[in-house]
Short mmCIF file of all heavy atoms in Angstrom, two decimals:
data_model
loop_
_atom_site.label_atom_id
_atom_site.label_comp_id
_atom_site.label_asym_id
_atom_site.label_seq_id
_atom_site.Cartn_x
_atom_site.Cartn_y
_atom_site.Cartn_z
N MET A 92 -11.06 12.15 -13.16
CA MET A 92 -12.49 12.09 -13.27
C MET A 92 -12.91 11.76 -14.70
O MET A 92 -13.86 11.02 -14.89
CB MET A 92 -13.11 13.42 -12.82
CG MET A 92 -13.05 13.67 -11.33
SD MET A 92 -13.77 12.38 -10.31
CE MET A 92 -15.42 12.33 -10.85
N ALA A 93 -12.16 12.28 -15.65
CA ALA A 93 -12.51 12.02 -17.05
C ALA A 93 -12.39 10.53 -17.36
O ALA A 93 -13.26 9.95 -18.03
CB ALA A 93 -11.65 12.84 -17.99
N ALA A 94 -11.33 9.89 -16.85
CA ALA A 94 -11.14 8.46 -17.09
C ALA A 94 -12.24 7.64 -16.39
O ALA A 94 -12.80 6.71 -16.98
CB ALA A 94 -9.78 8.02 -16.59
N LEU A 95 -12.57 8.00 -15.16
CA LEU A 95 -13.62 7.33 -14.42
C LEU A 95 -14.96 7.46 -15.15
O LEU A 95 -15.67 6.48 -15.33
CB LEU A 95 -13.72 7.90 -13.01
CG LEU A 95 -14.67 7.16 -12.08
CD1 LEU A 95 -13.95 6.82 -10.79
CD2 LEU A 95 -15.87 8.02 -11.79
N ASP A 96 -15.26 8.66 -15.60
CA ASP A 96 -16.51 8.90 -16.34
C ASP A 96 -16.54 8.11 -17.64
O ASP A 96 -17.58 7.56 -18.01
CB ASP A 96 -16.70 10.39 -16.62
CG ASP A 96 -17.00 11.19 -15.36
OD1 ASP A 96 -17.43 10.58 -14.36
OD2 ASP A 96 -16.78 12.41 -15.37
N ALA A 97 -15.43 8.04 -18.34
CA ALA A 97 -15.37 7.32 -19.61
C ALA A 97 -15.62 5.83 -19.39
O ALA A 97 -16.36 5.20 -20.16
CB ALA A 97 -14.02 7.55 -20.29
N ILE A 98 -15.03 5.25 -18.36
CA ILE A 98 -15.23 3.83 -18.06
C ILE A 98 -16.68 3.56 -17.69
O ILE A 98 -17.29 2.60 -18.15
CB ILE A 98 -14.27 3.37 -16.95
CG1 ILE A 98 -12.85 3.35 -17.51
CG2 ILE A 98 -14.67 1.99 -16.41
CD1 ILE A 98 -11.76 3.17 -16.48
N ASN A 99 -17.27 4.44 -16.87
CA ASN A 99 -18.67 4.25 -16.49
C ASN A 99 -19.61 4.42 -17.67
O ASN A 99 -20.63 3.74 -17.74
CB ASN A 99 -19.04 5.20 -15.34
CG ASN A 99 -18.49 4.72 -14.01
OD1 ASN A 99 -18.28 3.53 -13.82
ND2 ASN A 99 -18.25 5.64 -13.11
N ARG A 100 -19.28 5.31 -18.60
CA ARG A 100 -20.12 5.44 -19.81
C ARG A 100 -20.03 4.18 -20.66
O ARG A 100 -21.02 3.70 -21.18
CB ARG A 100 -19.66 6.65 -20.63
CG ARG A 100 -20.33 7.93 -20.25
CD ARG A 100 -20.11 9.03 -21.28
NE ARG A 100 -18.70 9.32 -21.49
CZ ARG A 100 -17.97 10.16 -20.75
NH1 ARG A 100 -18.53 10.81 -19.75
NH2 ARG A 100 -16.71 10.37 -21.02
N ARG A 101 -18.84 3.63 -20.78
CA ARG A 101 -18.64 2.47 -21.64
C ARG A 101 -19.20 1.18 -21.04
O ARG A 101 -19.81 0.38 -21.74
CB ARG A 101 -17.16 2.28 -21.92
CG ARG A 101 -16.87 1.13 -22.81
CD ARG A 101 -15.45 1.05 -23.22
NE ARG A 101 -15.23 -0.11 -24.06
CZ ARG A 101 -14.07 -0.46 -24.54
NH1 ARG A 101 -13.01 0.27 -24.29
NH2 ARG A 101 -13.94 -1.54 -25.28
N PHE A 102 -18.99 0.97 -19.74
CA PHE A 102 -19.35 -0.31 -19.12
C PHE A 102 -20.56 -0.27 -18.21
O PHE A 102 -20.94 -1.28 -17.66
CB PHE A 102 -18.14 -0.86 -18.36
CG PHE A 102 -16.97 -1.18 -19.23
CD1 PHE A 102 -15.88 -0.33 -19.27
CD2 PHE A 102 -16.98 -2.29 -20.05
CE1 PHE A 102 -14.80 -0.60 -20.08
CE2 PHE A 102 -15.90 -2.58 -20.86
CZ PHE A 102 -14.80 -1.73 -20.88
N GLY A 103 -21.15 0.90 -18.04
CA GLY A 103 -22.35 1.01 -17.23
C GLY A 103 -22.12 1.82 -15.97
O GLY A 103 -21.03 1.88 -15.43
N ARG A 104 -23.20 2.45 -15.57
CA ARG A 104 -23.16 3.33 -14.40
C ARG A 104 -22.67 2.55 -13.17
O ARG A 104 -23.04 1.42 -12.95
CB ARG A 104 -24.56 3.87 -14.14
CG ARG A 104 -24.61 4.89 -13.08
CD ARG A 104 -25.97 5.55 -13.04
NE ARG A 104 -25.98 6.57 -12.03
CZ ARG A 104 -26.86 6.68 -11.09
NH1 ARG A 104 -27.87 5.85 -11.05
NH2 ARG A 104 -26.77 7.65 -10.21
N GLU A 105 -21.82 3.20 -12.40
CA GLU A 105 -21.28 2.67 -11.16
C GLU A 105 -20.40 1.43 -11.35
O GLU A 105 -20.26 0.61 -10.46
CB GLU A 105 -22.37 2.39 -10.15
CG GLU A 105 -23.11 3.65 -9.74
CD GLU A 105 -24.26 3.40 -8.79
OE1 GLU A 105 -24.51 2.24 -8.44
OE2 GLU A 105 -24.90 4.38 -8.39
N THR A 106 -19.80 1.28 -12.55
CA THR A 106 -18.81 0.23 -12.74
C THR A 106 -17.61 0.53 -11.85
O THR A 106 -17.09 -0.34 -11.19
CB THR A 106 -18.37 0.16 -14.22
OG1 THR A 106 -19.51 -0.19 -15.01
CG2 THR A 106 -17.29 -0.87 -14.42
N LEU A 107 -17.21 1.79 -11.85
CA LEU A 107 -16.15 2.27 -10.96
C LEU A 107 -16.73 3.35 -10.07
O LEU A 107 -17.55 4.14 -10.51
CB LEU A 107 -14.97 2.85 -11.75
CG LEU A 107 -14.13 1.90 -12.56
CD1 LEU A 107 -13.04 2.66 -13.27
CD2 LEU A 107 -13.55 0.81 -11.69
N CYS A 108 -16.28 3.38 -8.83
CA CYS A 108 -16.69 4.45 -7.92
C CYS A 108 -15.60 4.65 -6.88
O CYS A 108 -14.68 3.87 -6.77
CB CYS A 108 -18.02 4.10 -7.26
SG CYS A 108 -17.94 2.66 -6.20
N PHE A 109 -15.72 5.71 -6.13
CA PHE A 109 -14.80 5.97 -5.04
C PHE A 109 -15.18 5.09 -3.86
O PHE A 109 -16.35 4.83 -3.62
CB PHE A 109 -14.84 7.45 -4.63
CG PHE A 109 -14.30 8.35 -5.70
CD1 PHE A 109 -15.15 9.11 -6.45
CD2 PHE A 109 -12.93 8.43 -5.93
CE1 PHE A 109 -14.66 9.95 -7.45
CE2 PHE A 109 -12.44 9.25 -6.92
CZ PHE A 109 -13.30 10.02 -7.68
N ALA A 110 -14.21 4.66 -3.08
CA ALA A 110 -14.47 3.76 -1.95
C ALA A 110 -15.46 4.39 -0.97
O ALA A 110 -16.29 3.69 -0.41
CB ALA A 110 -13.17 3.41 -1.24
N GLY A 111 -15.39 5.69 -0.76
CA GLY A 111 -16.29 6.35 0.17
C GLY A 111 -17.75 6.26 -0.24
O GLY A 111 -18.64 6.40 0.58
N GLU A 112 -17.99 6.02 -1.52
CA GLU A 112 -19.38 5.91 -2.00
C GLU A 112 -20.03 4.62 -1.52
O GLU A 112 -21.24 4.49 -1.55
CB GLU A 112 -19.40 5.96 -3.53
CG GLU A 112 -19.02 7.30 -4.10
CD GLU A 112 -19.10 7.29 -5.61
OE1 GLU A 112 -20.24 7.29 -6.14
OE2 GLU A 112 -18.05 7.27 -6.26
N LEU A 113 -19.23 3.65 -1.08
CA LEU A 113 -19.78 2.36 -0.64
C LEU A 113 -20.21 2.39 0.82
O LEU A 113 -20.85 1.46 1.29
CB LEU A 113 -18.73 1.27 -0.85
CG LEU A 113 -18.30 1.04 -2.29
CD1 LEU A 113 -17.17 0.03 -2.37
CD2 LEU A 113 -19.48 0.58 -3.13
N VAL A 114 -19.89 3.46 1.55
CA VAL A 114 -20.26 3.54 2.96
C VAL A 114 -21.77 3.56 3.08
O VAL A 114 -22.46 4.33 2.42
CB VAL A 114 -19.65 4.80 3.60
CG1 VAL A 114 -20.15 4.99 5.01
CG2 VAL A 114 -18.13 4.74 3.57
N GLY A 115 -22.29 2.69 3.89
CA GLY A 115 -23.73 2.64 4.14
C GLY A 115 -24.52 1.90 3.07
O GLY A 115 -25.73 1.91 3.09
N THR A 116 -23.82 1.20 2.15
CA THR A 116 -24.54 0.48 1.10
C THR A 116 -24.70 -1.00 1.43
O THR A 116 -25.25 -1.75 0.63
CB THR A 116 -23.79 0.59 -0.24
OG1 THR A 116 -22.52 -0.02 -0.11
CG2 THR A 116 -23.66 2.03 -0.68
N GLY A 117 -24.18 -1.42 2.58
CA GLY A 117 -24.27 -2.82 2.91
C GLY A 117 -23.11 -3.64 2.35
O GLY A 117 -23.10 -4.84 2.43
N TRP A 118 -22.11 -2.97 1.80
CA TRP A 118 -20.94 -3.65 1.28
C TRP A 118 -20.25 -4.37 2.43
O TRP A 118 -19.93 -3.75 3.45
CB TRP A 118 -19.99 -2.65 0.64
CG TRP A 118 -18.83 -3.27 -0.06
CD1 TRP A 118 -17.61 -3.48 0.48
CD2 TRP A 118 -18.77 -3.76 -1.38
NE1 TRP A 118 -16.78 -4.07 -0.43
CE2 TRP A 118 -17.47 -4.26 -1.59
CE3 TRP A 118 -19.70 -3.84 -2.41
CZ2 TRP A 118 -17.08 -4.83 -2.79
CZ3 TRP A 118 -19.29 -4.41 -3.61
CH2 TRP A 118 -18.02 -4.89 -3.79
N PRO A 119 -20.02 -5.66 2.33
CA PRO A 119 -19.45 -6.40 3.45
C PRO A 119 -17.97 -6.08 3.68
O PRO A 119 -17.18 -6.05 2.75
CB PRO A 119 -19.60 -7.86 3.03
CG PRO A 119 -19.62 -7.83 1.55
CD PRO A 119 -20.27 -6.52 1.17
N ARG A 120 -17.63 -5.82 4.94
CA ARG A 120 -16.23 -5.61 5.32
C ARG A 120 -15.62 -6.96 5.60
O ARG A 120 -16.26 -7.83 6.19
CB ARG A 120 -16.13 -4.77 6.58
CG ARG A 120 -16.13 -3.30 6.30
CD ARG A 120 -15.80 -2.56 7.55
NE ARG A 120 -14.36 -2.49 7.70
CZ ARG A 120 -13.76 -1.95 8.72
NH1 ARG A 120 -14.43 -1.46 9.72
NH2 ARG A 120 -12.45 -1.91 8.79
N ARG A 121 -14.42 -7.13 5.21
CA ARG A 121 -13.72 -8.38 5.48
C ARG A 121 -12.59 -8.11 6.46
O ARG A 121 -11.43 -8.04 6.07
CB ARG A 121 -13.20 -8.98 4.19
CG ARG A 121 -14.34 -9.38 3.27
CD ARG A 121 -13.86 -10.08 2.06
NE ARG A 121 -15.02 -10.41 1.23
CZ ARG A 121 -14.93 -10.94 0.06
NH1 ARG A 121 -13.76 -11.18 -0.48
NH2 ARG A 121 -16.02 -11.21 -0.63
N ALA A 122 -12.94 -7.97 7.71
CA ALA A 122 -11.96 -7.64 8.74
C ALA A 122 -10.89 -8.71 8.84
O ALA A 122 -9.77 -8.45 9.25
CB ALA A 122 -12.64 -7.42 10.07
N GLY A 123 -11.22 -9.92 8.47
CA GLY A 123 -10.26 -11.01 8.54
C GLY A 123 -9.11 -10.83 7.57
O GLY A 123 -8.06 -11.47 7.71
N ARG A 124 -9.28 -9.98 6.57
CA ARG A 124 -8.23 -9.78 5.58
C ARG A 124 -7.39 -8.52 5.84
O ARG A 124 -6.52 -8.19 5.07
CB ARG A 124 -8.84 -9.70 4.18
CG ARG A 124 -9.46 -11.00 3.77
CD ARG A 124 -9.95 -10.93 2.35
NE ARG A 124 -10.56 -12.18 1.99
CZ ARG A 124 -10.52 -12.70 0.80
NH1 ARG A 124 -9.91 -12.07 -0.17
NH2 ARG A 124 -11.08 -13.86 0.55
N VAL A 125 -7.69 -7.84 6.93
CA VAL A 125 -6.94 -6.62 7.26
C VAL A 125 -5.56 -7.03 7.76
O VAL A 125 -5.42 -7.95 8.54
CB VAL A 125 -7.68 -5.80 8.34
CG1 VAL A 125 -6.85 -4.63 8.79
CG2 VAL A 125 -9.01 -5.33 7.80
N SER A 126 -4.55 -6.34 7.30
CA SER A 126 -3.19 -6.63 7.72
C SER A 126 -3.05 -6.43 9.23
O SER A 126 -3.56 -5.46 9.77
CB SER A 126 -2.22 -5.70 6.99
OG SER A 126 -0.93 -5.80 7.57
N PRO A 127 -2.35 -7.32 9.92
CA PRO A 127 -2.16 -7.15 11.35
C PRO A 127 -1.29 -5.94 11.68
O PRO A 127 -1.24 -5.50 12.81
CB PRO A 127 -1.49 -8.45 11.78
CG PRO A 127 -0.88 -9.00 10.55
CD PRO A 127 -1.75 -8.53 9.41
N ILE A 128 -0.62 -5.40 10.68
CA ILE A 128 0.23 -4.23 10.92
C ILE A 128 -0.38 -2.96 10.34
O ILE A 128 0.30 -1.97 10.18
CB ILE A 128 1.66 -4.43 10.40
CG1 ILE A 128 1.67 -4.71 8.90
CG2 ILE A 128 2.36 -5.53 11.16
CD1 ILE A 128 3.03 -4.67 8.26
N SER A 129 -1.66 -2.99 10.03
CA SER A 129 -2.30 -1.79 9.50
C SER A 129 -2.33 -0.73 10.58
O SER A 129 -2.37 -1.03 11.76
CB SER A 129 -3.70 -2.08 8.98
OG SER A 129 -4.54 -2.48 10.05
N THR A 130 -2.32 0.52 10.16
CA THR A 130 -2.27 1.61 11.13
C THR A 130 -3.01 2.83 10.58
O THR A 130 -3.19 2.96 9.38
CB THR A 130 -0.81 2.00 11.46
OG1 THR A 130 -0.83 3.02 12.46
CG2 THR A 130 -0.07 2.52 10.25
N THR A 131 -3.39 3.69 11.47
CA THR A 131 -3.97 4.97 11.09
C THR A 131 -3.07 6.10 11.57
O THR A 131 -3.42 7.25 11.49
CB THR A 131 -5.37 5.16 11.69
OG1 THR A 131 -5.31 5.01 13.11
CG2 THR A 131 -6.35 4.14 11.11
N ARG A 132 -1.89 5.74 12.10
CA ARG A 132 -0.95 6.75 12.59
C ARG A 132 0.05 7.07 11.48
O ARG A 132 0.76 6.18 11.00
CB ARG A 132 -0.21 6.25 13.81
CG ARG A 132 -1.13 6.09 15.01
CD ARG A 132 -0.40 5.56 16.24
NE ARG A 132 0.07 4.20 15.95
CZ ARG A 132 1.30 3.77 16.20
NH1 ARG A 132 2.19 4.54 16.74
NH2 ARG A 132 1.65 2.53 15.90
N TRP A 133 0.13 8.33 11.06
CA TRP A 133 1.04 8.74 10.00
C TRP A 133 2.48 8.38 10.34
O TRP A 133 3.25 7.94 9.49
CB TRP A 133 0.93 10.24 9.74
CG TRP A 133 -0.30 10.61 8.98
CD1 TRP A 133 -1.39 11.24 9.48
CD2 TRP A 133 -0.58 10.38 7.59
NE1 TRP A 133 -2.34 11.41 8.49
CE2 TRP A 133 -1.85 10.90 7.33
CE3 TRP A 133 0.12 9.80 6.57
CZ2 TRP A 133 -2.44 10.83 6.07
CZ3 TRP A 133 -0.45 9.71 5.31
CH2 TRP A 133 -1.71 10.23 5.08
N GLY A 134 2.87 8.57 11.59
CA GLY A 134 4.25 8.31 12.01
C GLY A 134 4.64 6.85 11.92
O GLY A 134 5.82 6.52 11.89
N ALA A 135 3.68 5.94 11.90
CA ALA A 135 3.96 4.50 11.82
C ALA A 135 4.11 4.00 10.39
O ALA A 135 4.51 2.86 10.18
CB ALA A 135 2.87 3.72 12.53
N LEU A 136 3.80 4.84 9.41
CA LEU A 136 3.91 4.45 8.01
C LEU A 136 5.38 4.43 7.56
O LEU A 136 6.14 5.28 7.95
CB LEU A 136 3.11 5.40 7.12
CG LEU A 136 1.61 5.38 7.36
CD1 LEU A 136 0.95 6.47 6.53
CD2 LEU A 136 1.02 4.03 7.04
N PRO A 137 5.76 3.44 6.75
CA PRO A 137 7.14 3.41 6.28
C PRO A 137 7.41 4.57 5.31
O PRO A 137 6.48 5.06 4.65
CB PRO A 137 7.24 2.07 5.54
CG PRO A 137 5.84 1.68 5.22
CD PRO A 137 4.97 2.35 6.25
N THR A 138 8.63 4.97 5.21
CA THR A 138 9.00 6.03 4.28
C THR A 138 9.87 5.44 3.18
O THR A 138 10.57 4.45 3.37
CB THR A 138 9.79 7.15 5.00
OG1 THR A 138 10.92 6.59 5.63
CG2 THR A 138 8.92 7.85 6.03
N VAL A 139 9.82 6.07 2.02
CA VAL A 139 10.60 5.62 0.87
C VAL A 139 11.53 6.75 0.49
O VAL A 139 11.13 7.91 0.38
CB VAL A 139 9.66 5.29 -0.31
CG1 VAL A 139 10.47 4.89 -1.54
CG2 VAL A 139 8.69 4.20 0.07
N ARG A 140 12.78 6.41 0.31
CA ARG A 140 13.77 7.40 -0.10
C ARG A 140 14.20 7.11 -1.52
O ARG A 140 14.39 5.96 -1.90
CB ARG A 140 14.99 7.37 0.82
CG ARG A 140 14.68 7.86 2.21
CD ARG A 140 15.91 7.82 3.06
NE ARG A 140 16.25 6.39 3.23
CZ ARG A 140 17.28 5.96 3.94
NH1 ARG A 140 18.07 6.80 4.52
NH2 ARG A 140 17.50 4.68 4.06
N ALA A 141 14.35 8.16 -2.31
CA ALA A 141 14.83 8.00 -3.68
C ALA A 141 16.30 7.63 -3.67
O ALA A 141 17.05 8.07 -2.80
CB ALA A 141 14.61 9.29 -4.47
N CYS A 142 16.73 6.85 -4.63
CA CYS A 142 18.13 6.45 -4.72
C CYS A 142 18.99 7.55 -5.28
O CYS A 142 18.60 8.36 -6.02
CB CYS A 142 18.26 5.22 -5.62
SG CYS A 142 17.42 3.80 -4.95
#
């Protein structure tokens, strides 16, 4: 939060924000750019193992 606040103080209010803050603002969704393999199922997400 401190970094986000510092950037917004330096470059102007709402230079950076959380994605959820854009809900209902008319921000255009680009459904055409969504990955065809996107998922909302945790079990479908790839896992990474440390070497």
Side-chain angles (χ1 to χ4, degrees):
M92 288 305 300
L95 187 128
D96 290 340
I98 290 169
N99 284 333
R100 271 193 301 274
R101 181 173 178 183
F102 296 104
R104 187 170 183 232
E105 297 177 359
T106 297
L107 292 180
C108 64
F109 293 105
E112 292 181 73
L113 299 174
V114 174
T116 63
W118 186 265
R120 273 189 85 183
R121 295 185 180 174
R124 294 184 181 214
V125 174
S126 170
I128 59 170
S129 65
T130 183
T131 56
R132 293 179 295 133
W133 284 107
L136 296 174
T138 57
V139 177
R140 291 181 293 181
C142 297

